Amino acid sequence: MKPEETGSRYDRLALYWQKQHSNSTYGLAALERAIKFTENKFTENKSTALDVGCGSSGRFIEVLIEHGFVPAGVDISAEMISLASERHPEVTFYAADICTWQLPQKYDLISAWDSTFHLPLAEQKPVLKKMCEGLNSKGVLLFTCGGTSGPEEISGGFEGETFDYSTLGVNEFLRLMDEFGCTCKHVEYDQFPENHVYMIAQKTE
Ligand SMILES: C[S@@+](CC[C@H](N)C(=O)[O-])C[C@H]1O[C@@H](n2cnc3c(N)ncnc32)[C@H](O)[C@@H]1O
């Protein structure tokens, strides 16, 4: 499925997502763990963060603000971004496809929680490279992926919509992190026996 089609399907779920997930703590422990690896300054030179596939709830954005970050969000769904902007008018949001979008700056933290797992398989490597290269020195990347040992593509239903998912597999993501100048700090099958994995990596100096 092309990213634009994924975006159209999420457009139809944007309001539902905001209502359903605004108070959800899903993934927040992982975000807190990732934040601990950053050199978050909490001074006037605030750390910067980007939430890739941020959705409409603003839940990652809120935690980042609480920790003193200046966050930004990007999402391919214009409806998700419209609702997220209403909730956090002070935050910069971009309606864009992470596959083609050029990051406007480097960040101290980049999160991609349950978003890049929707990319076509061929986009996984270039988008991981883009996110790793988009980190400042010692910057931290948090992302989720399918926890297979090799590449896989699957489809699944959610709230009446069908979505595609792809993964390079855990071994290849770990290898690529190293290739793209990052060190793996944490890998967790956080919903075992589900094949859902989150990874934290830090830009090597
Ligand atoms: C399962 S939702 C997760 C939303 C949010 N990260 C959260 O955890 O609440 C997936 C999000 O990723 C976005 N997304 C999917 N493909 C994308 C792409 N190519 N570029 C940017 N965002 C994308 C969707 O529009 C959707 O908002």
Side-chain angles (χ1 to χ4, degrees):
M1 186 184 297
K2 291 207 166 93
E4 303 79 56
E5 182 55 33
T6 304
S8 303
R9 293 179 189 202
Y10 271 113
D11 277 344
R12 297 195 280 271
L13 296 182
L15 195 55
Y16 161 85
W17 194 268
Q18 191 179 61
K19 286 184 179 152
Q20 205 66 20
H21 290 274
S22 290
N23 297 317
S24 163
T25 58
Y26 172 52
L28 298 188
L31 178 59
E32 298 272 358
R33 190 187 290 273
I35 288 171
K36 283 197 185 136
F37 285 105
T38 66
E39 304 214 319
N40 190 16
K41 299 173 201 87
F42 241 120
T43 63
E44 66 269 15
N45 293 324
K46 287 194 164 193
S47 300
T48 54
L50 176 69
D51 192 20
V52 175
C54 56
S56 48
S57 73
R59 58 204 196 88
F60 270 47
I61 296 286
E62 273 156 31
V63 172
L64 290 165
I65 292 171
E66 279 165 22
H67 281 272
F69 284 85
V70 177
V74 58
D75 200 292
I76 196 168
S77 158
E79 281 302 316
M80 288 282 198
I81 288 298
S82 166
L83 291 171
S85 303
E86 273 175 30
R87 180 149 293 184
H88 291 288
E90 76 285 11
V91 172
T92 302
F93 287 101
Y94 305 91
D97 176 6
I98 189 61
C99 303
T100 52
W101 186 60
Q102 298 303 311
L103 274 57
Q105 61 172 89
K106 293 194 176 191
Y107 297 91
D108 299 305
L109 185 147
I110 297 179
S111 54
W113 189 267
D114 287 0
S115 55
T116 51
F117 67 9
H118 283 308
L119 302 182
L121 187 57
E123 296 291 348
Q124 289 291 349
K125 182 176 175 180
V127 167
L128 183 68
K129 184 168 192 272
K130 181 181 285 190
M131 293 194 293
C132 290
E133 288 179 350
L135 293 170
N136 286 323
S137 173
K138 293 190 181 171
V140 172
L141 172 66
L142 163 68
F143 71 101
T144 54
C145 62
T148 52
S149 45
E152 270 192 33
E153 293 173 286
I154 57 166
S155 295
F158 177 70
E159 286 300 310
E161 303 285 348
T162 302
F163 289 101
D164 288 349
Y165 303 81
S166 78
T167 180
L168 295 170
V170 169
N171 297 334
E172 181 66 354
F173 278 121
L174 289 172
R175 195 190 67 73
L176 288 173
M177 274 179 197
D178 182 48
E179 184 179 321
F180 302 148
C182 289
T183 304
C184 180
K185 296 288 186 179
H186 190 90
V187 179
E188 185 173 330
Y189 283 78
D190 62 325
Q191 299 166 34
F192 190 80
E194 295 292 321
N195 235 353
H196 183 275
V197 164
Y198 79 83
M199 295 191 180
I200 298 172
Q202 185 161 36
K203 188 76 168 258
T204 316
E205 276 190 287

